[in-house]
Amino acid sequence: MCELLGMECNVPTDIVFSFNGLRHRGGRTGPHADGWGLAFFEGRAARVFLDPSPAAQSPLARFLSETPIKTLLAIGHIRRRTRGDVLLANTHPFMRELWGRHWVFAHNGTLPRVRRRALGRFNPIGTTDSEHAFCYLLEGLRSSFPGYPRRPSELWEAIAALGGELGQDGTFNFLLGDGRHLFARCATRLCHIIRKAPFGVATLLDDDVRVDFSAVTTPKDRIAVVATSPLTANETWTIGRPGELWVFDGGELRATLSSLA
Amino acid sequence: MCELLGMECNVPTDIVFSFNGLRHRGGRTGPHADGWGLAFFEGRAARVFLDPSPAAQSPLARFLSETPIKTLLAIGHIRRRTRGDVLLANTHPFMRELWGRHWVFAHNGTLPRVRRRALGRFNPIGTTDSEHAFCYLLEGLRSSFPGYPRRPSELWEAIAALGGELGQDGTFNFLLGDGRHLFARCATRLCHIIRKAPFGVATLLDDDVRVDFSAVTTPKDRIAVVATSPLTANETWTIGRPGELWVFDGGELRATLSSLA
């Protein structure tokens, strides 16, 4: 199993605090030592930092935690291998282009039956069930719409339906970003928090770090953070229900859809 | 105009020496201050480090030059903007998946007429002529072969033909990698060197650095390096002729094809 981390905001925000909470689970406070990745959107484009080595010891992870990159949308993942070798090609998040924008995907769980599903124009580079599912999901979107849907809710519903379909193949907790939204599906374990004014002080569970968000934010800031399990000790996280798809936009939970087949 | 850097080897090699020669042209010894990128292949997968800020001052560029990543195939680019704003989406190298492998592309030159060309399944995320050309080139390959060609020379010839076709739209020096080959087309400026035993000492043109390759190599190592202009002062670089496509594999120049329409 793995750990997911997503952030979606209404003002560019750095993810260092949350990422530090996560990365120590990559080989120090947790067993997720088979690589990690972190994707940052800038408009329709994303850049993904990937490392097949443990996040807790990775020089690149330390670099990112020391060099804040502000973004409206980020997706991170630390991996504990269940399917597929420890290789760059098997390191989440995965990225593809569809409709002239990047799509970024990270998965927690296993989908033992997903390889029965035939693929179309998107093909896995590595050998994970996760990347196969991502390719299937994107092909499902591509074949449903001629371009990026004008009505966002059409897209949300299509992703919820595809999430439910793929959820039949195993355990399908995922994060998906398209540069506009963060989609987060809960199969077994996922939680979120919306940080907004009045901001307080948060204490990481996995690191001896506290941050006073009121010192680094303005009253209008809204930051949604999604994670496999709560990252902080003194905040109230909303726990996902199996088969729920959350849609975040502008740092708000815009919709909660049923994502069951 | 921009500066290209490619490396293709028969043993995993770090590109730090050559990258340091290039990155100082990004805002210090050269005017190419509108972003940079560096892609590293690991088998069929690549990871791309991108930064829309000048390479000479970029903390990420410094990190990479201090943290060697060994690879058989790397493609780098530093940008001086001619078309398209300074944005992540416009930062080379560009990457797409085709036939279950990553393809990485970087361009030097401008293609004022390229946007007349209709695209297929690959679409630009940014606004550069370069990414449009890359999308057209990949669609040309995709529509010519059902999968990765069994006979490599068929692929080489197709890339040479597409390079010649796109070369009619302007100036088309490019590097293209598929995890197996490095393709390098010369329109106006491109050169290469094959480093092999007996290895000597090389001195960078753009930085006060010398390296004794004999201390960091074995007698069997072969390293092909391609660049817009020579990176070292005391080695003999082979200068490309307009309309030539070089194909590197295993650190050797495997073929030189005519790439003219």
Side-chain angles (χ1 to χ4, degrees):
Chain A
M1 298 291 280
C2 310
E3 299 253 348
L4 300 171
L5 172 66
M7 183 185 77
E8 199 279 326
C9 332
N10 66 344
V11 291
T13 303
D14 87 62
I15 198 173
V16 165
F17 175 72
S18 297
F19 180 61
N20 277 335
L22 188 76
R23 78 186 183 96
H24 293 297
R25 296 182 191 174
R28 210 190 66 167
T29 60
H32 312 280
D34 297 317
W36 62 277
L38 192 53
F40 300 85
F41 272 94
E42 181 184 304
R44 294 185 299 178
R47 48 178 166 170
V48 187
F49 294 89
L50 298 172
D51 199 341
S53 62
Q57 286 96 46
S58 161
L60 182 60
R62 194 171 58 244
F63 171 82
L64 288 175
S65 70
E66 290 166 356
T67 312
I69 296 176
K70 292 198 173 188
T71 183
L72 295 176
L73 177 53
I75 290 179
H77 182 272
I78 58 173
R79 181 164 182 238
R80 184 180 182 188
R81 181 176 68 85
T82 50
R83 293 279 188 284
D85 294 335
V86 179
L87 289 173
L88 178 63
N90 290 341
T91 305
H92 306 222
F94 302 104
M95 182 164 74
R96 292 289 189 282
E97 174 263 316
L98 173 62
W99 302 322
R101 59 173 60 235
H102 276 137
W103 294 71
V104 169
F105 173 84
H107 170 219
N108 161 276
T110 56
L111 297 168
R113 295 180 293 279
V114 77
R115 282 197 186 72
R116 297 177 204 169
R117 297 183 185 273
L119 298 175
R121 76 166 245 196
F122 301 97
N123 286 286
I125 294 169
T127 55
T128 63
D129 51 348
S130 308
E131 193 185 13
H132 193 104
F134 177 42
C135 291
Y136 182 86
L137 194 158
L138 286 185
E139 180 65 19
L141 294 179
R142 192 198 65 79
S143 61
S144 302
F145 304 102
Y148 198 88
R150 290 197 188 170
R151 286 184 50 230
S153 61
E154 288 182 354
L155 178 65
W156 307 351
E157 285 156 19
I159 290 168
L162 286 159
E165 191 184 341
L166 286 159
Q168 296 182 298
D169 295 346
T171 307
F172 199 41
N173 303 288
F174 73 74
L175 300 180
L176 174 70
D178 67 356
R180 293 178 63 171
H181 309 92
L182 174 63
F183 300 95
R185 181 182 192 269
C186 176
T188 51
R189 285 176 73 204
L190 205 63
C191 61
H192 82 263
I193 192 166
I194 308 279
R195 297 199 177 112
K196 59 184 178 180
F199 290 96
V201 174
T203 306
L204 281 182
L205 277 169
D206 294 77
D207 199 4
D208 189 19
V209 170
R210 289 158 56 90
V211 68
D212 181 0
F213 288 118
S214 68
V216 292
T217 51
T218 73
K220 288 186 178 170
D221 295 7
R222 295 181 65 99
I223 303 116
V225 177
V226 187
T228 295
S229 60
L231 296 169
T232 52
N234 61 331
E235 296 179 299
T236 304
W237 293 69
T238 301
I239 307 299
R241 274 187 289 241
E244 263 182 359
L245 179 80
W246 294 322
V247 183
F248 298 94
D249 183 7
E252 294 185 60
L253 179 61
R254 289 286 300 279
T256 300
L257 286 81
S258 169
S259 176
L260 291 168
Chain B
M1 297 292 280
C2 309
E3 298 254 348
L4 300 172
L5 171 66
M7 183 186 77
E8 199 279 325
C9 333
N10 66 343
V11 290
T13 304
D14 88 64
I15 198 173
V16 164
F17 175 72
S18 297
F19 180 61
N20 277 336
L22 188 77
R23 77 185 183 96
H24 293 296
R25 297 181 190 174
R28 211 190 67 168
T29 60
H32 313 279
D34 298 318
W36 63 275
L38 191 53
F40 300 84
F41 272 93
E42 181 184 305
R44 294 185 299 178
R47 48 179 168 171
V48 187
F49 294 90
L50 298 171
D51 199 339
S53 62
Q57 286 96 44
S58 161
L60 182 61
R62 196 171 56 243
F63 170 82
L64 288 176
S65 71
E66 291 167 355
T67 311
I69 296 176
K70 292 198 172 187
T71 183
L72 296 175
L73 177 53
I75 291 179
H77 182 271
I78 59 174
R79 181 165 182 237
R80 185 181 183 186
R81 182 176 66 85
T82 51
R83 293 279 188 285
D85 295 335
V86 179
L87 288 172
L88 179 63
N90 291 341
T91 306
H92 307 224
F94 303 104
M95 182 165 74
R96 291 290 189 282
E97 173 263 315
L98 172 63
W99 301 323
R101 58 173 62 235
H102 277 137
W103 295 71
V104 169
F105 173 85
H107 170 219
N108 161 276
T110 57
L111 297 167
R113 296 180 292 278
V114 77
R115 281 197 188 73
R116 297 175 203 171
R117 296 184 186 274
L119 297 175
R121 75 166 245 197
F122 300 96
N123 286 285
I125 294 169
T127 56
T128 62
D129 51 348
S130 308
E131 193 186 12
H132 194 104
F134 178 42
C135 291
Y136 182 86
L137 193 158
L138 285 185
E139 180 65 19
L141 294 179
R142 192 198 64 80
S143 61
S144 301
F145 304 102
Y148 198 89
R150 289 197 189 169
R151 286 184 51 230
S153 60
E154 289 182 355
L155 178 65
W156 307 351
E157 285 157 18
I159 290 168
L162 287 159
E165 191 184 341
L166 286 158
Q168 295 182 300
D169 295 346
T171 306
F172 198 41
N173 303 288
F174 73 74
L175 299 180
L176 174 71
D178 67 354
R180 291 178 63 170
H181 309 91
L182 174 63
F183 300 94
R185 182 182 191 268
C186 177
T188 52
R189 286 176 72 204
L190 205 62
C191 61
H192 81 263
I193 191 166
I194 308 280
R195 297 197 178 112
K196 60 184 177 180
F199 290 96
V201 174
T203 306
L204 280 182
L205 277 170
D206 294 76
D207 199 5
D208 189 19
V209 170
R210 289 158 56 89
V211 68
D212 180 0
F213 289 118
S214 67
V216 292
T217 51
T218 73
K220 288 185 180 171
D221 294 7
R222 296 182 64 99
I223 302 116
V225 177
V226 186
T228 296
S229 60
L231 296 170
T232 52
N234 62 332
E235 296 179 299
T236 304
W237 292 70
T238 302
I239 307 300
R241 277 187 288 241
E244 261 182 1
L245 180 79
W246 293 323
V247 182
F248 298 94
D249 182 9
E252 294 185 59
L253 178 61
R254 289 286 300 280
T256 300
L257 287 81
S258 170
S259 175
L260 291 168

